Amino acid sequence: MGKGGAISENVLKKVLLSYAYVGIWIFLSFSVIVYNKFILDQKMYNWPFPISLTMIHMAFCSSIAYLLVSVFKVVEPVSMSRELYFKSVVPIGALYSLSLWFSNSAYIYLSVSFIQMLKALMPVAVYSIGVTLKKDKFKSDTMANMVSISLGVAVAAYGEAKFNSKGVTLQLLAVAFEATRLVMIQILLNSKGISLNPITSLYYVAPCCLVFLSVPWLIMEYPLLRDNSSFHLDFVIFGTNSLCAFALNLAVFLLVGKTSALTMNVAGVVKDWLLIAFSWSVIKDTVTAINLFGYGLAFLGVAYYNHSKLQALKAAEGQKKAQQADEEAGRLLEEREGNERKIDSQK
């Protein structure tokens, strides 16, 4: 086969691998969400202890990350001072623990489909917090897009058959804390040139989450678990659930590392629609026409937001290449002028 055929095969291989990474991430993300719902929902496994479930996940992930980083040396730890750890990683760990706690708590009160609709507000929260903390610039067209997403989610909430104000409040708090965490990662870590992959992130952040979650756990859930004589930890259920949560972190690393964060955002939209369909057809959650219409509006807003980010990335990349070309041309011109002066001096 000729050179053109080889190039086509390479391109095809990269495309297929990208789809494979997307498929793995969607499957694991889908599995973790449905599994958490199964454990926490009172009509299913009926173990309504979201803080305990989150702590089990963090303990499992901390242990595996410690083994991979410190024992087997599969991943190199990041060089980090004690001051940087307490000023940057600890606040991020606190936000992460709150995000996971409230997100898991929402599964007790809300359907899987409605939670996915509320999660469409994530770009709105990230952009709003970024503007507030002066990480992003205010743009009227972007804000109009954020308003359209918010309007779509509001319509979906209006059409929710089993609306629960406590569950909605918990999920909105989870979105707010997660958005703040993402912005703080950019401010506290990325600005200092520190990048954490999912394993090193869990190595540093998961123990912080355990410490922060232990306080509300001791007050809110430990007394209930202590007095519940029938409780026993099902190692098969919680072990496989924790393994799925850890595998999801690795899938995020694969997807973002081999494709891009934008690809994950687009794949997330596909996953949300699949979860809504699953919630309606298998779990038998009620999904109304107003739900779908509202989420459809939000979906269009999120799609436009992702499209705008892609165009901005392309423009930035084009500008970077043009600048590099100008610098290269300037360097060649200087070398040429230097050579000409050298020849003139030798005459």
Side-chain angles (χ1 to χ4, degrees), residues 217-335:
W217 179 76
L218 287 170
I219 298 170
M220 300 172 65
E221 293 187 3
Y222 173 70
L224 296 174
L225 291 168
R226 180 192 58 201
D227 297 338
N228 187 357
S229 58
S230 63
F231 168 72
H232 69 282
L233 192 65
D234 190 327
F235 287 99
V236 174
I237 292 292
F238 292 101
T240 52
N241 179 246
S242 299
L243 186 61
C244 285
F246 182 78
L248 177 59
N249 280 278
L250 297 184
V252 171
F253 176 60
L254 269 177
L255 183 60
V256 176
K258 301 297 183 180
T259 56
S260 68
L262 190 62
T263 301
M264 192 175 79
N265 288 340
V266 175
V269 174
V270 176
K271 178 206 68 179
D272 290 344
W273 280 111
L274 290 174
L275 278 166
I276 290 171
F278 179 86
S279 177
W280 170 73
S281 61
V282 179
I283 304 179
K284 302 301 180 183
D285 287 333
T286 303
V287 180
T288 67
I290 299 177
N291 272 151
L292 294 177
F293 176 73
Y295 184 67
L297 289 176
F299 163 75
L300 291 175
V302 172
Y304 180 76
Y305 173 74
N306 287 332
H307 173 74
S308 300
K309 286 184 68 176
L310 178 61
Q311 295 303 313
L313 285 172
K314 286 182 177 179
E317 186 67 23
Q319 186 176 4
K320 183 180 178 181
K321 288 182 178 179
Q323 184 178 357
Q324 289 175 345
D326 289 342
E327 290 176 355
E328 181 68 16
R331 186 179 65 80
L332 291 173
L333 183 60
E334 288 178 0
E335 288 181 358

Side-chain angles (χ1 to χ4, degrees), residues 193-208:
I194 296 174
S195 179
L196 300 178
N197 65 46
I199 296 177
T200 52
S201 178
L202 289 172
Y203 178 78
Y204 290 109
V205 174
C208 293

Side-chain angles (χ1 to χ4, degrees), residues 99-144:
S99 170
L100 292 172
W101 169 18
F102 291 133
S103 180
N104 284 334
S105 298
Y107 286 109
I108 299 174
Y109 306 99
L110 302 175
S111 66
V112 170
S113 58
F114 188 43
I115 285 176
Q116 300 315 120
M117 294 176 190
L118 292 174
K119 285 182 179 180
L121 288 171
M122 183 62 72
V124 179
V126 171
Y127 179 71
S128 300
I129 293 169
V131 170
T132 302
L133 298 178
K134 298 182 179 180
K135 185 64 182 176
D136 285 320
K137 294 180 180 180
F138 177 85
K139 296 179 181 178
S140 56
D141 57 339
T142 304
M143 184 53 70

Side-chain angles (χ1 to χ4, degrees), residues 4-31:
I7 293 174
S8 298
E9 285 183 4
N10 288 334
V11 171
L12 180 61
K13 184 178 179 181
K14 287 181 180 179
V15 170
L16 291 176
L17 280 174
S18 297
Y19 277 115
Y21 297 137
V22 169
I24 291 169
W25 178 80
I26 288 178
F27 172 76
L28 288 171
S29 182
F30 187 101
S31 300

Side-chain angles (χ1 to χ4, degrees), residues 151-166:
L151 179 62
V153 173
V155 172
Y158 177 78
E160 176 61 19
K162 297 179 181 178
F163 185 90
N164 183 290
S165 58
K166 184 175 182 180

